[in-house]
Amino acid sequence: MTAKLVTVNVFPGGFNWPIYVGQDKGFFEKHDLAVEIQGTPDSVTQMTDFSLGKFDIAMTAIDNIVAYVEGQGQAPIGPQPEFFGFMGVDTGFLSLVAVPGITSIEDLRGKTVSVDALTTGYAFVLYEILRRNGLELDKGDYQLVSAGGMVQRWNGLREGRHHATLLSAPYNLIARNAGFSDLVRATDVIGPYQGNVAATRRSWAANNMGKIVSYVRAFRDSVTWLYEPLNRVEAIEILCRHLPQMPPEIAAASYPELLHPAHGFFKTCELDREGLKCALDLRNRYAPSTKSLGAPDRYYDAQYSHR
């Protein structure tokens, strides 16, 4: 039997580890799927391509889905009521990282910080971390620039084009090894947060429920395999194989970061309801809109992760 092809669009990074494991260990094949990975440089590109149906599944921040459903996204594509999340993946693994010499959040006063897009993704997490530490954008306490996805932001940080940004593994680990300051983990400041989800379009889902359910099951199998300590060495080998530019020591350091018992990949692949509430609260606080957001079910459908 020929496996059913599913195209999955991702940002580069270690948070794609379960997909790599699913491919290499045969978990997708076990569930009659063949997964083709597409990379994206930033959320504007990803959401634009998503609206055009250029891929089936987006691995993306739930806030991106909320923003574009409500027509609040940075890409000029209008409201996208077709978008919804169907599987919870992680908290985003976000850490606030700064250039060497900055040792506290207060040190960022008067400095430049960067985000992917100004009104989607993890920008609001950054605003909230800084606000809770006495720095507010509307008071001019810091400057903000849109610098693209995580690779672009890390390169900008390295090149001195801005002073701080949010990074997740492996980039926060690479930064730390290079002498940059890992100031704080985001969830230590804001509490539970729903970061990445698997998302698709409602019209595609209506005709492909079996593919979505199989994707969730295979992804969950991959996460379960990753958390098994006996698989640690092979898991790191898989990560290095798919990310050959990643130094082996960074791949090894990613294991306790991404598979932390309390902060790692969601073992059940279900949405964190409290985390979604946090994401919605931050959007209500910071989005440049007077429009009230809808109920959580407007942006997420739990039925697929329960099958």
Side-chain angles (χ1 to χ4, degrees):
M1 181 183 295
T2 303
K4 305 181 187 73
L5 179 65
V6 173
T7 51
V8 180
N9 188 274
V10 305
F11 292 90
F15 34 77
N16 298 312
W17 211 343
I19 300 178
Y20 304 148
V21 167
Q23 290 178 318
D24 287 17
K25 298 300 294 181
F27 294 122
F28 289 120
E29 184 180 6
K30 170 187 169 185
H31 292 281
D32 195 28
L33 285 184
V35 168
E36 178 184 286
I37 299 176
Q38 298 179 2
T40 191
D42 53 58
S43 62
V44 170
T45 301
Q46 185 186 56
M47 293 294 104
T48 300
D49 290 348
F50 198 20
S51 71
L52 296 173
K54 291 187 177 181
F55 51 85
D56 303 322
I57 293 171
M59 303 300 291
T60 194
I62 188 63
D63 183 77
N64 285 331
I65 301 304
V66 177
Y68 282 93
V69 167
E70 299 297 350
Q72 297 175 354
Q74 189 165 319
I77 58 176
Q80 298 292 320
E82 278 266 282
F83 294 179
F84 75 98
F86 63 83
M87 180 180 76
V89 178
D90 56 54
T91 65
F93 303 114
L94 301 169
S95 292
L96 179 58
V97 177
V99 296
I102 290 179
T103 59
S104 70
I105 293 175
E106 174 60 30
D107 289 345
L108 294 174
R109 187 177 297 275
K111 301 297 194 297
T112 300
V113 299
S114 70
V115 295
D116 177 351
L118 300 176
T119 61
T120 58
Y122 299 132
F124 302 150
V125 174
L126 178 59
Y127 303 162
E128 183 69 2
I129 291 171
L130 297 179
R131 185 188 71 83
R132 293 194 187 192
N133 284 273
L135 303 182
E136 300 202 36
L137 181 61
D138 59 3
K139 293 181 179 178
D141 291 335
Y142 58 94
Q143 289 74 53
L144 188 70
V145 294
S146 176
M150 209 163 299
V151 174
Q152 292 90 332
R153 298 202 307 280
W154 163 233
N155 287 335
L157 201 64
R158 269 192 317 147
E159 295 161 7
R161 287 187 272 117
H162 49 256
H163 299 94
T165 193
L166 288 177
L167 297 177
S168 61
Y171 298 102
N172 64 317
L173 303 175
I174 294 171
R176 191 186 305 161
N177 276 14
F180 287 69
S181 300
D182 197 342
L183 296 177
V184 69
R185 179 191 285 127
T187 52
D188 288 343
V189 178
I190 66 172
Y193 182 78
Q194 178 61 59
N196 289 306
V197 298
T200 191
R201 303 178 311 281
R202 295 188 184 279
S203 57
W204 188 83
N207 297 312
N208 293 278
M209 176 176 280
K211 287 184 179 180
I212 298 175
V213 172
S214 292
Y215 184 80
V216 174
R217 290 175 176 174
F219 196 98
R220 188 186 294 127
D221 287 349
S222 296
V223 171
T224 299
W225 185 90
L226 276 168
Y227 271 105
E228 173 53 56
L230 291 176
N231 297 328
R232 180 181 180 278
V233 172
E234 186 179 1
I236 292 169
E237 291 172 352
I238 289 173
L239 188 61
C240 289
R241 186 157 58 246
H242 285 266
L243 298 175
Q245 72 278 15
M246 181 185 291
E249 64 272 17
I250 296 297
S254 296
Y255 189 90
E257 180 103 352
L258 299 179
L259 294 159
H260 188 281
H263 307 294
F265 292 115
F266 297 171
K267 293 181 180 181
T268 64
C269 294
E270 295 178 11
L271 184 86
D272 181 339
R273 289 281 176 178
E274 284 300 307
L276 177 57
K277 181 179 183 301
C278 179
L280 295 178
D281 287 346
L282 292 181
R283 174 152 290 277
N284 276 322
R285 175 188 291 273
Y286 293 110
S289 173
T290 57
K291 180 179 181 180
S292 296
L293 299 179
D297 291 345
R298 179 172 168 82
Y299 317 110
Y300 185 85
D301 190 337
Q303 67 169 311
Y304 302 97
S305 59
H306 292 160
R307 292 175 177 269

